[in-house]
Each structure stands twice: as structure tokens, then as C-alpha cells.
Amino acid sequence: MENFWEKKTLSQMSSSEWESLCDGCGKCCLNKIIDDETEELHFTNVACHLLHSKTCQCKKYEKRLKLVPDCVKISLDDIDQFHWLPASCAYRLLVEEKPLPEWHPLLTGSKSAMHTGGHSIRGKIVSETQIDPENLEDYIAIWPAE
Ligand code: SF4
Ligand code: SF4
């Protein structure tokens, strides 16, 4: 049987289908740096202070947009910005007409394979409260973009 994400476009999905696409990796909650000259985007391993380092979930999901002005609600209105998402992000993958990875929770039924396979932020981050923001460049990391 065809999966809903294979037979529907993003705009045809219900809100619960849309939400279920998010694997909960937490990578989109990492601080990013944009190079002034090249406009290249770099991920860091420095996380938003509301990101839980073990569950990889937002600690204040319902209030996040009020509490963190930089927090981005991923929606179809911003589809032209999806290339800023990690390459493993389901929303970006579907826009690029690529399949979901084999470890995606919708395919495996849980987040275990994602975490054990190293596809989430678990065990890899520091909180933005623990660093000097002036030194953010020292925390540039390649893995979140993958
Ligand atoms: S990067 Fe994509 S899949 Fe991962 S938590 Fe963010 S929105 Fe969800
Ligand atoms: S406030 Fe936004 S960026 Fe921060 S952890 Fe929550 S969802 Fe992620």
C-alpha cells in the first residue's frame, strides 16, 4: 500500500499528516551562522535553550513562537526556505522529491533507529546558555546539515 507522503503533495496533507512527517531529530533547533560574504549557511552544534538534549523535543512547543523570536514554524508558506533545513529533514526531502530515509519513524514505528543511527541531536549538542555567543563560529558542525 502506498504511504500517504508518496501519494499526496505537501499541500494535500492533513495537519496531523504534516506533523507526523517531522522525525523529531531536533536539528532545525540548532543555531546557524550565515556567512556575510558568501551567504552560505552553517549549522553549529549549539542548541536553542528550549531544546531538550535527550528527547530532542522543544520544552515549550506550544509557546515557542512567543518565547523564541527566531523560532521558525515550518510551513508551506516558506517552501522556498526549505533548502535551509537539514538534508535529512522530511519536509525538505519531499520538496526535493526524495524518499524518506529508512530510519524515519513513519517507516520504523519509533524514533529508536533515528537516535541509535546518529540522525538526531542526541548526545551531540551544547546549549546556547553554556557558551559565549561571540564564539559561535567555534561550534560550526557538518553533521547537522546531513
Ligand atoms: S529538521 Fe525537520 S524533521 Fe528534524 S525536527 Fe526539524 S522539522 Fe522535524
Ligand atoms: S523554541 Fe523553537 S528553536 Fe527553540 S527548541 Fe523550541 S522549536 Fe526549537
Side-chain angles (χ1 to χ4, degrees):
M1 199 175 70
E2 232 182 341
N3 295 307
F4 75 83
W5 61 91
E6 292 164 334
K7 60 183 177 189
K8 290 184 178 183
T9 64
L10 286 169
S11 61
Q12 289 170 332
M13 291 179 191
S14 67
S15 55
S16 62
E17 288 171 337
W18 173 273
E19 290 289 327
S20 71
L21 286 174
C22 176
D23 56 30
C25 69
K27 291 180 187 173
C28 56
C29 302
L30 296 173
N31 291 356
K32 302 163 205 59
I33 296 172
I34 296 175
D35 188 307
D36 288 338
E37 288 174 11
T38 64
E39 293 190 3
E40 196 180 348
L41 178 108
H42 298 284
F43 278 89
T44 71
N45 62 355
V46 178
C48 171
H49 64 287
L50 289 181
L51 186 63
H52 194 292
S53 61
K54 198 161 184 191
T55 65
C56 312
Q57 301 289 302
C58 181
K59 294 178 202 167
K60 301 273 184 190
Y61 189 75
E62 297 304 326
K63 293 184 181 169
R64 68 194 191 286
L65 299 173
K66 274 191 186 156
L67 295 172
V68 177
D70 287 346
C71 180
V72 177
K73 182 174 187 200
I74 295 169
S75 81
L76 270 181
D77 295 339
D78 304 312
I79 206 163
D80 56 336
Q81 304 294 319
F82 280 18
H83 61 281
W84 283 7
L85 290 166
S88 66
C89 177
Y91 300 107
R92 176 172 165 181
L93 287 170
L94 294 183
V95 165
E96 293 177 353
E97 299 184 357
K98 293 175 181 165
L100 296 189
E102 59 195 12
W103 48 261
H104 194 285
L106 281 174
L107 292 168
T108 63
S110 84
K111 294 181 180 175
S112 298
M114 174 181 71
H115 291 310
T116 56
H119 305 292
S120 70
I121 56 95
R122 184 180 284 177
K124 299 177 181 170
I125 59 160
V126 291
S127 170
E128 61 192 0
T129 59
Q130 295 174 298
I131 71 147
D132 179 346
E134 292 291 317
N135 298 335
L136 188 58
E137 281 189 14
D138 295 344
Y139 296 86
I140 286 175
I142 293 169
W143 63 265
E146 295 170 339

Coordinates of all heavy atoms in Angstrom, one line a residue, residues 58-130:
C58 N 11.1 20.2 21.8 CA 11.0 21.6 22.4 C 10.4 21.5 23.7 O 9.3 20.9 23.9 CB 10.2 22.5 21.4 SG 10.1 24.1 22.0
K59 N 10.9 22.1 24.7 CA 10.4 22.1 26.1 C 9.1 22.9 26.2 O 8.3 22.8 27.2 CB 11.4 22.5 27.1 CG 12.6 21.6 27.2 CD 13.6 22.3 28.3 CE 15.0 21.8 28.1 NZ 15.9 22.6 28.8
K60 N 8.9 23.8 25.3 CA 7.7 24.7 25.4 C 7.1 24.8 24.0 O 6.9 26.0 23.4 CB 8.1 26.1 25.8 CG 8.8 26.2 27.2 CD 7.8 26.3 28.3 CE 8.5 26.4 29.6 NZ 7.6 26.2 30.8
Y61 N 6.8 23.7 23.4 CA 6.4 23.7 22.0 C 5.2 24.7 21.7 O 5.2 25.4 20.7 CB 6.0 22.3 21.6 CG 5.8 22.1 20.1 CD1 6.8 22.1 19.2 CD2 4.5 22.0 19.6 CE1 6.6 22.0 17.8 CE2 4.3 21.9 18.2 CZ 5.3 21.9 17.3 OH 5.1 21.8 16.0
E62 N 4.2 24.7 22.5 CA 3.0 25.5 22.3 C 3.3 27.0 22.3 O 2.7 27.8 21.6 CB 1.9 25.1 23.3 CG 1.4 23.7 23.2 CD 0.9 23.3 21.8 OE1 0.3 24.2 21.1 OE2 1.1 22.2 21.4
K63 N 4.3 27.3 23.2 CA 4.5 28.8 23.4 C 5.8 29.2 22.6 O 6.3 30.3 22.8 CB 4.7 29.1 24.8 CG 3.4 28.9 25.6 CD 3.7 29.4 27.1 CE 2.5 29.2 27.9 NZ 2.8 29.4 29.3
R64 N 6.4 28.3 21.9 CA 7.7 28.5 21.3 C 7.9 29.8 20.5 O 8.9 30.5 20.6 CB 8.2 27.3 20.5 CG 7.4 27.1 19.2 CD 7.7 25.7 18.6 NE 7.2 25.5 17.3 CZ 5.9 25.3 17.0 NH1 5.0 25.4 17.9 NH2 5.6 25.1 15.7
L65 N 6.9 30.1 19.7 CA 7.0 31.2 18.8 C 7.0 32.6 19.6 O 7.6 33.6 19.2 CB 5.9 31.2 17.8 CG 5.9 30.0 16.9 CD1 4.7 29.9 15.9 CD2 7.2 29.9 16.0
K66 N 6.3 32.5 20.8 CA 6.3 33.7 21.6 C 7.6 33.8 22.4 O 8.2 34.9 22.6 CB 5.2 33.7 22.6 CG 3.9 34.2 22.0 CD 2.8 34.3 23.1 CE 1.5 34.7 22.5 NZ 0.4 34.3 23.3
L67 N 8.1 32.7 22.9 CA 9.3 32.7 23.7 C 10.6 32.9 23.0 O 11.5 33.4 23.5 CB 9.3 31.4 24.5 CG 8.2 31.1 25.5 CD1 8.3 29.7 26.1 CD2 8.3 32.1 26.7
V68 N 10.6 32.4 21.8 CA 11.9 32.5 21.0 C 11.6 33.2 19.6 O 11.1 32.5 18.7 CB 12.5 31.1 20.8 CG1 13.7 31.1 19.9 CG2 12.8 30.4 22.1
P69 N 11.9 34.4 19.5 CA 11.5 35.2 18.3 C 12.1 34.6 17.0 O 11.5 34.7 16.0 CB 12.1 36.6 18.6 CG 12.2 36.7 20.0 CD 12.5 35.3 20.6
D70 N 13.3 33.9 17.2 CA 13.9 33.3 16.0 C 13.4 32.0 15.6 O 13.7 31.4 14.6 CB 15.4 33.2 16.2 CG 16.2 34.5 16.2 OD1 15.6 35.5 15.7 OD2 17.3 34.5 16.6
C71 N 12.5 31.4 16.4 CA 12.0 30.1 16.2 C 11.1 30.2 14.9 O 10.3 31.1 14.8 CB 11.2 29.6 17.4 SG 10.5 28.0 17.1
V72 N 11.4 29.2 14.0 CA 10.6 29.2 12.8 C 9.6 28.1 12.7 O 9.9 26.9 13.0 CB 11.6 29.0 11.6 CG1 10.9 28.9 10.3 CG2 12.7 30.1 11.6
K73 N 8.4 28.4 12.4 CA 7.3 27.4 12.2 C 7.4 27.0 10.8 O 7.3 27.8 9.9 CB 6.0 28.1 12.5 CG 4.9 27.1 12.4 CD 3.5 27.6 12.8 CE 2.6 26.5 12.8 NZ 1.3 26.6 12.8
I74 N 7.7 25.7 10.6 CA 7.9 25.2 9.2 C 6.5 25.1 8.6 O 5.7 24.3 9.1 CB 8.7 23.9 9.2 CG1 10.1 24.2 9.8 CG2 8.7 23.3 7.9 CD1 10.9 23.0 10.1
S75 N 6.3 25.8 7.5 CA 5.0 25.7 6.8 C 5.2 25.8 5.3 O 6.3 26.3 4.9 CB 4.1 26.8 7.3 OG 4.4 28.0 6.7
L76 N 4.2 25.5 4.6 CA 4.3 25.5 3.2 C 4.5 26.9 2.6 O 5.0 27.1 1.5 CB 2.9 25.0 2.6 CG 2.9 23.5 2.3 CD1 1.5 23.2 1.7 CD2 4.0 23.1 1.4
D77 N 4.1 27.9 3.4 CA 4.3 29.3 3.0 C 5.8 29.6 2.8 O 6.2 30.6 2.2 CB 3.8 30.3 4.0 CG 2.3 30.2 4.2 OD1 1.7 29.7 3.2 OD2 1.7 30.6 5.2
D78 N 6.7 28.8 3.5 CA 8.1 29.1 3.5 C 8.9 28.1 2.6 O 10.0 27.8 2.8 CB 8.7 29.1 4.9 CG 8.0 30.1 5.8 OD1 7.8 31.2 5.4 OD2 7.6 29.7 6.9
I79 N 8.2 27.5 1.7 CA 8.8 26.4 0.9 C 10.1 26.8 0.2 O 11.0 25.9 0.1 CB 7.7 25.8 -0.1 CG1 8.0 24.4 -0.4 CG2 7.6 26.6 -1.3 CD1 6.8 23.6 -1.0
D80 N 10.2 28.0 -0.1 CA 11.4 28.5 -0.8 C 12.6 28.6 0.2 O 13.7 28.8 -0.2 CB 11.2 29.8 -1.5 CG 10.7 30.9 -0.6 OD1 10.1 30.5 0.5 OD2 11.0 32.1 -0.8
Q81 N 12.3 28.4 1.5 CA 13.4 28.4 2.5 C 13.8 27.0 3.0 O 14.6 26.8 3.8 CB 12.9 29.2 3.8 CG 12.4 30.6 3.5 CD 13.6 31.5 3.0 OE1 14.7 31.4 3.5 NE2 13.3 32.3 2.0
F82 N 13.1 26.0 2.4 CA 13.3 24.6 2.9 C 14.8 24.1 2.6 O 15.2 23.2 3.3 CB 12.3 23.6 2.3 CG 11.0 23.6 2.9 CD1 10.6 24.7 3.7 CD2 10.1 22.6 2.8 CE1 9.3 24.7 4.3 CE2 8.8 22.6 3.4 CZ 8.4 23.7 4.1
H83 N 15.5 24.7 1.7 CA 16.9 24.3 1.5 C 17.8 24.6 2.6 O 18.9 24.2 2.7 CB 17.4 25.0 0.2 CG 17.4 26.4 0.2 ND1 16.3 27.2 0.0 CD2 18.4 27.3 0.5 CE1 16.6 28.5 0.1 NE2 17.9 28.6 0.4
W84 N 17.2 25.4 3.6 CA 18.0 25.7 4.8 C 17.8 24.6 5.8 O 18.5 24.6 6.8 CB 17.5 27.1 5.4 CG 18.0 28.3 4.7 CD1 18.7 28.3 3.6 CD2 17.9 29.6 5.2 NE1 19.1 29.6 3.2 CE2 18.6 30.4 4.2 CE3 17.4 30.2 6.3 CZ2 18.7 31.8 4.3 CZ3 17.4 31.6 6.4 CH2 18.1 32.4 5.4
L85 N 16.9 23.8 5.6 CA 16.7 22.7 6.6 C 17.8 21.6 6.4 O 18.4 21.5 5.3 CB 15.3 22.0 6.3 CG 14.1 22.9 6.7 CD1 12.8 22.4 6.2 CD2 14.0 23.0 8.3
P86 N 18.0 20.8 7.4 CA 19.0 19.7 7.2 C 18.5 18.8 6.0 O 17.4 18.6 5.8 CB 18.9 18.9 8.5 CG 18.3 19.8 9.5 CD 17.4 20.8 8.7
A87 N 19.5 18.2 5.4 CA 19.2 17.3 4.2 C 18.4 16.2 4.6 O 17.7 15.6 3.7 CB 20.5 16.9 3.6
S88 N 18.4 15.7 5.8 CA 17.6 14.6 6.2 C 16.1 15.0 6.6 O 15.3 14.1 6.9 CB 18.2 13.9 7.5 OG 18.2 14.8 8.6
C89 N 15.8 16.3 6.7 CA 14.5 16.7 7.1 C 13.5 16.2 6.1 O 13.6 16.5 4.9 CB 14.5 18.2 7.2 SG 12.9 18.8 7.7
A90 N 12.4 15.6 6.6 CA 11.4 15.1 5.7 C 10.7 16.1 4.8 O 10.4 15.8 3.7 CB 10.3 14.4 6.6
Y91 N 10.5 17.3 5.3 CA 9.9 18.4 4.5 C 10.8 18.7 3.3 O 10.3 18.8 2.2 CB 9.6 19.6 5.4 CG 8.7 19.3 6.6 CD1 9.2 19.2 7.9 CD2 7.4 19.0 6.4 CE1 8.4 18.9 8.9 CE2 6.5 18.7 7.4 CZ 7.1 18.7 8.7 OH 6.3 18.3 9.8
R92 N 12.0 18.9 3.6 CA 13.0 19.2 2.5 C 13.0 18.0 1.5 O 13.0 18.2 0.3 CB 14.4 19.5 3.1 CG 15.4 19.7 2.0 CD 16.7 20.2 2.5 NE 17.7 20.1 1.5 CZ 19.0 20.4 1.7 NH1 19.4 20.9 2.9 NH2 19.9 20.3 0.8
L93 N 13.1 16.8 2.1 CA 13.2 15.6 1.2 C 12.0 15.5 0.2 O 12.2 15.3 -1.0 CB 13.3 14.3 2.0 CG 14.6 14.1 2.7 CD1 14.5 12.9 3.7 CD2 15.8 13.8 1.7
L94 N 10.8 15.8 0.8 CA 9.7 15.6 -0.1 C 9.6 16.7 -1.1 O 9.2 16.5 -2.3 CB 8.4 15.6 0.8 CG 8.3 14.3 1.7 CD1 6.9 14.3 2.4 CD2 8.4 13.0 0.9
V95 N 10.0 18.0 -0.7 CA 10.0 19.1 -1.7 C 11.0 18.7 -2.8 O 10.8 19.0 -4.0 CB 10.4 20.4 -1.0 CG1 10.8 21.4 -2.0 CG2 9.2 20.9 -0.2
E96 N 12.1 18.0 -2.4 CA 13.1 17.7 -3.4 C 12.8 16.3 -4.1 O 13.6 15.8 -4.8 CB 14.5 17.6 -2.8 CG 15.0 19.0 -2.3 CD 16.3 18.9 -1.5 OE1 16.8 17.8 -1.3 OE2 16.8 20.0 -1.2
E97 N 11.6 15.9 -3.9 CA 11.1 14.6 -4.5 C 12.0 13.4 -4.2 O 12.3 12.6 -5.1 CB 10.9 14.8 -6.0 CG 9.8 15.9 -6.3 CD 9.5 16.1 -7.7 OE1 10.1 15.4 -8.6 OE2 8.7 16.9 -8.0
K98 N 12.5 13.4 -2.9 CA 13.3 12.3 -2.5 C 12.5 11.4 -1.5 O 11.6 11.9 -0.8 CB 14.6 12.8 -1.8 CG 15.5 13.5 -2.8 CD 16.7 14.1 -2.1 CE 17.6 14.8 -3.1 NZ 18.6 15.7 -2.4
P99 N 12.9 10.1 -1.3 CA 12.2 9.3 -0.4 C 12.6 9.6 1.1 O 13.7 10.2 1.3 CB 12.6 7.9 -0.8 CG 13.9 8.1 -1.4 CD 13.9 9.4 -2.1
L100 N 11.8 9.2 2.0 CA 12.1 9.3 3.4 C 13.2 8.3 3.7 O 13.2 7.2 3.1 CB 10.9 9.1 4.3 CG 9.8 10.1 4.2 CD1 8.8 9.8 5.4 CD2 10.2 11.5 4.3
P101 N 14.2 8.6 4.6 CA 15.2 7.7 5.0 C 14.6 6.4 5.7 O 13.6 6.5 6.3 CB 16.1 8.4 5.9 CG 15.3 9.5 6.5 CD 14.3 9.9 5.4
E102 N 15.3 5.3 5.6 CA 14.8 4.0 6.1 C 14.6 4.1 7.6 O 13.8 3.3 8.1 CB 15.7 2.9 5.7 CG 17.1 3.1 6.2 CD 18.1 2.1 5.6 OE1 17.8 1.5 4.6 OE2 19.2 2.1 6.1
W103 N 15.3 5.0 8.3 CA 15.2 5.1 9.8 C 14.0 6.0 10.2 O 13.8 6.2 11.4 CB 16.5 5.6 10.4 CG 17.1 6.8 9.7 CD1 18.1 6.8 8.8 CD2 16.7 8.2 9.9 NE1 18.4 8.1 8.4 CE2 17.5 8.9 9.0 CE3 15.8 8.8 10.7 CZ2 17.4 10.3 9.0 CZ3 15.7 10.2 10.6 CH2 16.5 10.9 9.7
H104 N 13.3 6.6 9.3 CA 12.3 7.6 9.6 C 11.2 6.9 10.5 O 10.8 5.8 10.2 CB 11.6 8.2 8.4 CG 10.8 9.4 8.7 ND1 9.6 9.4 9.3 CD2 11.1 10.8 8.5 CE1 9.1 10.6 9.5 NE2 10.0 11.5 9.0
P105 N 10.8 7.6 11.6 CA 9.8 7.0 12.5 C 8.5 6.6 11.8 O 7.9 5.6 12.2 CB 9.5 8.1 13.5 CG 10.7 8.9 13.5 CD 11.3 8.9 12.1
L106 N 8.1 7.2 10.7 CA 6.9 6.7 10.0 C 7.1 5.4 9.4 O 6.2 4.7 9.1 CB 6.5 7.8 8.9 CG 5.8 9.0 9.4 CD1 5.6 10.0 8.2 CD2 4.4 8.7 10.0
L107 N 8.4 5.0 9.1 CA 8.7 3.7 8.5 C 9.0 2.7 9.5 O 8.7 1.5 9.3 CB 9.8 3.9 7.5 CG 9.5 4.7 6.2 CD1 10.7 5.0 5.4 CD2 8.5 4.0 5.3
T108 N 9.6 3.1 10.6 CA 10.1 2.1 11.6 C 9.1 2.0 12.8 O 9.1 1.0 13.5 CB 11.4 2.5 12.2 OG1 11.3 3.8 12.9 CG2 12.5 2.7 11.1
G109 N 8.2 3.0 13.0 CA 7.3 2.9 14.0 C 7.8 3.5 15.3 O 7.0 3.6 16.3
S110 N 9.0 3.9 15.4 CA 9.6 4.6 16.6 C 10.8 5.4 16.2 O 11.2 5.4 15.1 CB 10.0 3.5 17.6 OG 11.3 3.1 17.4
K111 N 11.3 6.2 17.2 CA 12.4 7.0 17.0 C 13.7 6.4 17.3 O 14.8 7.0 17.1 CB 12.3 8.3 17.8 CG 11.1 9.2 17.4 CD 11.1 10.5 18.2 CE 9.9 11.3 17.8 NZ 9.7 12.5 18.6
S112 N 13.7 5.1 17.7 CA 14.9 4.4 18.1 C 16.0 4.4 17.0 O 17.1 4.7 17.3 CB 14.6 3.0 18.5 OG 13.7 3.0 19.6
A113 N 15.6 4.0 15.8 CA 16.6 3.8 14.8 C 17.2 5.2 14.4 O 18.4 5.3 14.1 CB 15.9 3.2 13.5
M114 N 16.4 6.2 14.5 CA 16.9 7.6 14.2 C 18.0 7.9 15.3 O 19.1 8.4 14.9 CB 15.8 8.6 14.3 CG 16.3 10.0 14.2 SD 14.9 11.2 14.3 CE 14.5 11.1 16.0
H115 N 17.7 7.7 16.6 CA 18.6 8.1 17.6 C 19.9 7.2 17.6 O 21.0 7.7 17.6 CB 18.0 8.0 19.0 CG 16.9 9.0 19.2 ND1 17.1 10.3 19.0 CD2 15.6 8.9 19.7 CE1 16.0 11.0 19.3 NE2 15.1 10.2 19.7
T116 N 19.7 5.9 17.5 CA 20.8 5.0 17.5 C 21.7 5.1 16.3 O 22.9 4.9 16.3 CB 20.4 3.5 17.7 OG1 19.5 3.2 16.7 CG2 19.7 3.3 19.0
G117 N 21.1 5.5 15.2 CA 21.8 5.7 14.0 C 22.5 7.1 13.9 O 23.2 7.4 12.9
G118 N 22.4 7.9 14.9 CA 23.0 9.2 15.0 C 22.4 10.2 14.1 O 23.1 11.2 13.7
H119 N 21.1 10.1 13.8 CA 20.5 11.1 12.9 C 19.7 12.2 13.7 O 19.1 13.0 13.0 CB 19.5 10.3 12.0 CG 20.1 9.2 11.2 ND1 21.0 9.4 10.2 CD2 20.0 7.9 11.3 CE1 21.4 8.2 9.8 NE2 20.8 7.3 10.4
S120 N 19.9 12.2 15.0 CA 19.3 13.3 15.8 C 20.4 14.0 16.5 O 21.5 13.7 16.4 CB 18.2 12.7 16.8 OG 18.9 12.0 17.8
I121 N 19.9 15.0 17.3 CA 20.9 15.8 18.0 C 21.4 15.2 19.3 O 22.3 15.7 20.0 CB 20.4 17.2 18.3 CG1 19.1 17.2 19.1 CG2 20.2 18.0 17.0 CD1 19.2 17.3 20.5
R122 N 20.8 14.0 19.7 CA 21.0 13.4 21.0 C 22.5 13.2 21.2 O 23.2 12.5 20.3 CB 20.3 12.1 21.1 CG 20.4 11.5 22.5 CD 19.6 10.2 22.6 NE 18.2 10.5 22.8 CZ 17.3 9.5 22.9 NH1 17.7 8.3 22.8 NH2 16.0 9.8 23.1
G123 N 23.1 13.7 22.3 CA 24.5 13.4 22.6 C 25.5 14.2 21.9 O 26.7 14.0 22.0
K124 N 25.0 15.2 21.1 CA 25.9 15.9 20.2 C 25.9 17.4 20.4 O 26.6 18.1 19.7 CB 25.6 15.7 18.8 CG 25.6 14.3 18.3 CD 25.2 14.2 16.9 CE 25.2 12.8 16.3 NZ 24.5 12.8 15.0
I125 N 25.2 17.9 21.3 CA 25.0 19.4 21.4 C 25.4 20.0 22.7 O 25.5 19.3 23.7 CB 23.5 19.8 21.1 CG1 22.6 19.1 22.2 CG2 23.1 19.4 19.7 CD1 21.2 19.7 22.3
V126 N 25.5 21.3 22.7 CA 25.6 22.1 23.9 C 24.5 23.2 23.8 O 24.1 23.5 22.7 CB 27.0 22.9 24.0 CG1 28.1 21.9 24.3 CG2 27.3 23.7 22.8
S127 N 24.1 23.6 25.0 CA 23.0 24.6 25.0 C 23.6 26.0 24.7 O 24.7 26.3 25.2 CB 22.3 24.6 26.3 OG 21.4 25.8 26.4
E128 N 22.8 26.9 24.1 CA 23.3 28.2 23.9 C 23.6 29.0 25.2 O 24.3 30.0 25.3 CB 22.3 29.0 23.0 CG 20.9 29.2 23.6 CD 19.9 29.7 22.6 OE1 20.2 29.9 21.5 OE2 18.7 29.8 23.1
T129 N 23.0 28.5 26.3 CA 23.2 29.1 27.6 C 24.6 28.7 28.1 O 25.0 29.3 29.1 CB 22.2 28.6 28.6 OG1 22.2 27.2 28.8 CG2 20.8 29.0 28.2
Q130 N 25.3 27.8 27.5 CA 26.6 27.3 28.0 C 27.7 27.9 27.3 O 28.9 27.6 27.6 CB 26.6 25.8 28.0 CG 25.6 25.1 28.8 CD 25.7 23.6 28.6 OE1 25.4 23.1 27.5 NE2 26.0 22.8 29.6

